[in-house]
Amino acid sequence: MKKPEIIQLPKILDKRGNLSFFQSPQQIPFTIERTYWIYDVPGGEIRGGHAFREQNEFIVALSGSFDVVLHNGIRSTIYSLNRSYYGLYVPNMYWRYMENFSTNSLALIVSDKKYNADDYIRDFNQFKTTRK
């Protein structure tokens, strides 16, 4: 099974402003089918709280910071994202949620699948059973 990992993105320094990018499959290990972003999250709110049976994602903090909490069915790992030149690869079958959003944070998420409600596992106990 694939494991989550922080992926460093190219960073082109320029006195007029820096530029970073990602392309598939050079920086991320899948072809992008869907892109969405999360913003204006009220203080103390949590986003996510599910796993995907098939979908893989790549998450970047374009602005501000937030934590991505991943659970593999046994233990949790927290990834703090706060730079726009690296992101978190999240393979399928990891329970995930995002918390601790800073003011004006912007989370960009790309995935290898189009939206499919049937791909979601929204009950943590069902996730742990399915993960085994």
Side-chain angles (χ1 to χ4, degrees):
M1 179 170 278
K2 296 177 187 173
K3 295 187 177 191
E5 69 174 297
I6 295 289
I7 297 174
Q8 180 95 24
L9 299 173
K11 186 166 132 180
I12 300 169
L13 303 176
D14 188 306
K15 63 183 178 183
R16 301 167 299 165
N18 301 331
L19 181 145
S20 290
F21 65 91
F22 57 87
Q23 303 175 138
S24 59
Q26 291 87 348
Q27 283 82 29
I28 58 174
F30 57 79
T31 301
I32 299 167
E33 287 290 324
R34 181 173 177 236
T35 302
Y36 63 98
W37 46 97
I38 298 171
Y39 57 98
D40 292 343
V41 179
E45 287 298 320
I46 295 174
R47 296 298 311 242
H50 58 266
F52 293 109
R53 289 178 173 83
E54 300 293 328
Q55 181 172 294
N56 299 285
E57 292 184 325
F58 183 67
I59 304 171
V60 179
L62 289 183
S63 180
S65 63
F66 51 87
D67 294 333
V68 180
V69 182
L70 300 182
H71 199 291
N72 65 4
I74 299 169
R75 66 181 170 86
S76 292
T77 304
I78 299 173
Y79 296 87
S80 295
L81 299 181
N82 58 14
R83 297 284 185 259
S84 59
Y85 51 84
Y86 64 82
L88 176 63
Y89 167 62
V90 183
N92 64 328
M93 289 309 295
Y94 276 82
W95 188 265
R96 82 250 353 258
Y97 62 91
M98 299 161 66
E99 63 182 6
N100 298 325
F101 287 86
S102 68
T103 302
N104 294 323
S105 59
L106 172 59
L108 175 70
I109 301 98
V110 296
S111 68
D112 66 342
K113 305 275 188 248
K114 291 184 168 61
Y115 175 79
N116 176 3
D118 295 333
D119 191 38
Y120 284 73
I121 302 172
R122 297 186 187 273
D123 177 87
F124 186 68
N125 290 325
Q126 179 188 1
F127 160 73
K128 288 196 308 187
T129 302
T130 304
R131 173 91 181 179
K132 290 180 185 178

